[in-house]
Amino acid sequence: YKCGIFTKTLLWLNVVAMSCRCMPPHDGSDTYFRHLLLWCIQLPVSQVWSIDAYILNRRRRRKKLDETNRAAAADLSSCSFTSIDNRSAVWGIRLQIVLMYLGTVIHRTYDRYGLSWTMLKSPWLPPQLTAVHYALNSSFSPRDIWLGDIIRTTLPLSQFMTFTAILIETFAPIACLVLHEYYVPIPAFLLWNLHFGLLLLMNLPNWQFVGMFATVIWVPSWVWDGLQRRLSNRFPNRISPPKISSTTYSPSISMLTLKKKKDDIELFDTTTTTTTTAVNDIILRDNDETTTSRSSGNKKTRKFRKRSFLSYFFLTYMLYDFAGNRGWYQKVDDGDIGEFLRFSQFWVMFSGPSPFTGHVLATGTLDGQEHVNIWEWMKSNRHDTIQVVDLNSFERHPWTNMTHVYPSPRVERAFQEMTDDRGRHKIDHFLNALCRVTPFTTVRLTVQKLNV
């Protein structure tokens, strides 16, 4: 509500601060999500999806118009027309998605093996193509379902999935960027399908949801108009047809056409002038809709220049940091600006099988009962749910998959790092906090780590 560029930037910094205070349960999806938010700040998203836009639409509906133009106002009152002058922000959010996928692919291949034939040693490339097989057989985040069991036991199937995954991650984002909008839904659907498949097989829901929602950016508006038109034909009493077509909006408004100007978009009537006067009150402008003076226009230009300057800075720094992380040149700031803003372009997602497997089992004493499984107690959120664990058996026989044991994917992500010897201080911090906020009198973490 009443969020300008300054307020939105402060809110974004607040999100960054909250993430930095609790890094262990976070992963690359949180970084990717913050990057998309940073670009959305510089786009007029709030003019459609915000409390301000809702209040503005309500004001338009209450405006007293002529009887002849009331129907036109009713048709257009729920629509918002805006132009995006900040083209650098548009390219920024599109290139951000492309660089995320390309950075992941380059890290799996070029960064690890160099530009040579040794790159074929990557488990993502032929002749091995074993990345999906190792991912589903690892101790981190595979789902215990029948579909995963079939893929784990069928090597040709997992190799085919590895090959198609690396092709989609490499070429689909580039195709979305360069193809004509008529063909863009095809690679966008492949990206969405890739994340949906990972959601079924891997217990990493945050990554997959963010990836699926981000693909919506590529879908052109005519796809949504066609979907709404079909739904309105099927459910005419509940869903209205789309308000905007190619050039004509409604028969009651005669022939309304869009004329794109330098700063905004206006509607002109080709037959009458009264409708033009009525709908001009309904146009959503880039700034205050009631301001028409020259001074306000200059103020709007100054704000636009400030936004463009920030967008150009983040766009150039994004490309600069991405190339510097690849080692193509020496970064002047060593990436300090990107680390300070958490805007780093270093993307890593399962480059290969891990050399070790590890689990952490939390047990404690509750109401005099020792070795109570804290993970099960946290999942059930009930004090009367007590599951006693035989620690001797846990230490002798490795648990190959504990994804179903952890209370949430975030907890599993945090304790995956604690299996390393460098996570000792994190374990001490967690034990102290757990003893204070839970009824357990004593808490013990049993770390199971095996070299593979």
Side-chain angles (χ1 to χ4, degrees):
Y1 175 64
K2 294 187 181 299
C3 286
I5 183 68
F6 180 73
T7 308
K8 288 186 284 187
T9 304
L10 291 180
L11 291 174
W12 181 79
L13 290 175
N14 184 40
V15 173
V16 174
M18 288 189 296
S19 299
C20 292
R21 288 191 184 99
C22 190
M23 290 301 294
H26 284 211
D27 55 18
S29 62
D30 300 284
T31 304
Y32 185 43
F33 183 69
R34 289 195 305 265
H35 289 14
L36 295 179
L37 280 180
L38 181 61
W39 289 113
C40 288
I41 287 174
Q42 304 166 62
L43 293 170
V45 180
S46 59
Q47 296 183 7
V48 180
W49 297 306
S50 67
I51 300 178
D52 297 330
Y54 173 74
I55 294 176
L56 186 60
N57 283 332
R58 288 187 60 187
R59 289 176 181 174
R60 289 171 183 163
R61 293 189 188 99
R62 294 175 181 176
K63 274 192 173 181
K64 295 181 180 180
L65 300 176
D66 297 335
E67 292 295 334
T68 56
N69 300 323
R70 193 176 298 276
D75 287 336
L76 292 175
S77 60
S78 60
C79 296
S80 298
F81 304 94
T82 185
S83 64
I84 302 177
D85 296 323
N86 197 350
R87 296 295 178 181
S88 57
V90 175
W91 278 102
I93 193 170
R94 290 160 66 91
L95 286 175
Q96 179 63 82
I97 299 176
V98 175
L99 293 182
M100 190 276 292
Y101 288 102
L102 285 184
T104 302
V105 174
I106 293 175
H107 177 77
R108 295 168 178 168
T109 54
Y110 173 79
D111 290 349
R112 295 174 63 90
Y113 303 98
L115 192 60
S116 62
W117 290 107
T118 58
M119 189 185 300
L120 297 178
K121 294 181 180 180
S122 172
W124 287 93
L125 297 178
Q128 297 190 41
L129 296 174
T130 54
V132 172
H133 173 78
Y134 283 121
L136 294 180
N137 284 278
S138 67
S139 60
F140 176 65
S141 75
R143 295 186 184 273
D144 191 13
I145 58 175
W146 61 271
L147 182 60
D149 295 336
I150 295 177
I151 300 174
R152 273 189 287 266
T153 56
T154 310
L155 184 59
L157 180 58
S158 64
Q159 288 179 324
F160 174 77
M161 294 179 63
T162 305
F163 184 68
T164 54
I166 197 69
L167 287 180
I168 292 174
E169 288 181 321
T170 305
F171 298 106
I174 300 177
C176 291
L177 187 67
V178 301
L179 287 181
H180 189 271
E181 66 174 14
Y182 182 78
Y183 304 101
V184 163
I186 299 175
F189 175 74
L190 293 177
L191 281 176
W192 185 91
N193 195 36
L194 172 67
H195 288 285
F196 181 73
L198 291 174
L199 180 64
L200 295 178
L201 298 174
M202 306 294 290
N203 193 27
L204 299 170
N206 194 49
W207 242 127
Q208 313 316 327
F209 284 132
V210 173
M212 286 190 290
F213 287 138
T215 56
V216 177
I217 294 176
W218 303 110
V219 181
S221 20
W222 60 266
V223 175
W224 305 111
D225 292 339
L227 178 62
Q228 184 179 357
R229 188 178 295 107
R230 291 190 177 185
L231 292 176
S232 63
N233 293 333
R234 188 175 182 85
F235 308 101
N237 296 328
R238 295 188 177 183
I239 300 177
S240 60
K243 306 293 183 182
I244 306 174
S245 60
S246 57
T247 55
T248 305
Y249 291 88
S250 174
S252 61
I253 318 178
S254 182
M255 289 293 292
L256 284 174
T257 58
L258 279 176
K259 181 179 180 181
K260 186 174 181 180
K261 298 187 107 181
K262 185 176 182 180
D263 294 328
D264 53 10
I265 293 179
E266 294 184 358
L267 288 177
F268 288 90
D269 191 358
T270 57
T271 57
T272 63
T273 58
T274 56
T275 308
T276 304
T277 306
V279 297
N280 278 338
D281 295 332
I282 306 172
I283 304 301
L284 181 62
R285 301 188 181 277
D286 195 31
N287 231 344
D288 190 1
E289 61 176 355
T290 60
T291 305
T292 56
S293 62
R294 184 181 300 272
S295 60
S296 64
N298 294 334
K299 188 183 299 183
K300 172 184 173 182
T301 304
R302 288 195 297 269
K303 288 184 178 180
F304 168 70
R305 288 174 180 172
K306 291 179 181 178
R307 296 178 187 177
S308 296
F309 173 77
L310 290 175
S311 302
Y312 280 125
F313 168 76
F314 285 117
L315 178 60
T316 54
Y317 186 84
M318 178 177 65
L319 299 174
Y320 154 83
D321 190 71
F322 178 82
N325 289 331
R326 308 278 76 79
W328 296 342
Y329 57 81
Q330 182 66 33
K331 290 189 288 187
V332 178
D333 65 332
D334 293 329
D336 292 338
I337 297 177
E339 289 299 323
F340 174 74
L341 295 175
R342 312 304 292 178
F343 193 59
S344 175
Q345 300 298 321
F346 185 68
W347 303 102
V348 178
M349 283 172 287
F350 194 77
S351 54
S354 176
F356 68 90
T357 178
H359 301 293
V360 177
L361 182 63
T363 57
T365 303
L366 180 63
D367 297 333
Q369 181 67 52
E370 296 182 350
H371 307 316
V372 176
N373 190 346
I374 297 181
W375 298 147
E376 188 66 29
W377 180 85
M378 291 175 65
K379 280 198 304 183
S380 60
N381 200 20
R382 293 176 57 186
H383 296 280
D384 57 345
T385 302
I386 296 178
Q387 182 187 59
V388 180
V389 180
D390 185 3
L391 292 181
N392 294 327
S393 176
F394 176 75
E395 294 174 353
R396 289 195 307 266
H397 304 287
W399 291 15
T400 56
N401 186 359
M402 279 189 58
T403 300
H404 63 285
V405 177
Y406 286 105
S408 71
R410 294 283 189 179
V411 176
E412 182 182 10
R413 174 69 176 84
F415 282 89
Q416 183 70 16
E417 294 184 351
M418 293 187 183
T419 56
D420 195 351
D421 296 335
R422 294 173 295 178
R424 178 66 187 178
H425 66 284
K426 300 178 183 178
I427 293 178
D428 294 338
H429 178 74
F430 173 78
L431 289 176
N432 292 329
L434 195 63
C435 288
R436 294 179 181 180
V437 300
T438 63
F440 288 90
T441 55
T442 60
V443 176
R444 175 181 177 179
L445 291 184
T446 305
V447 179
Q448 182 187 82
K449 182 178 178 180
L450 297 174
N451 293 326
V452 180

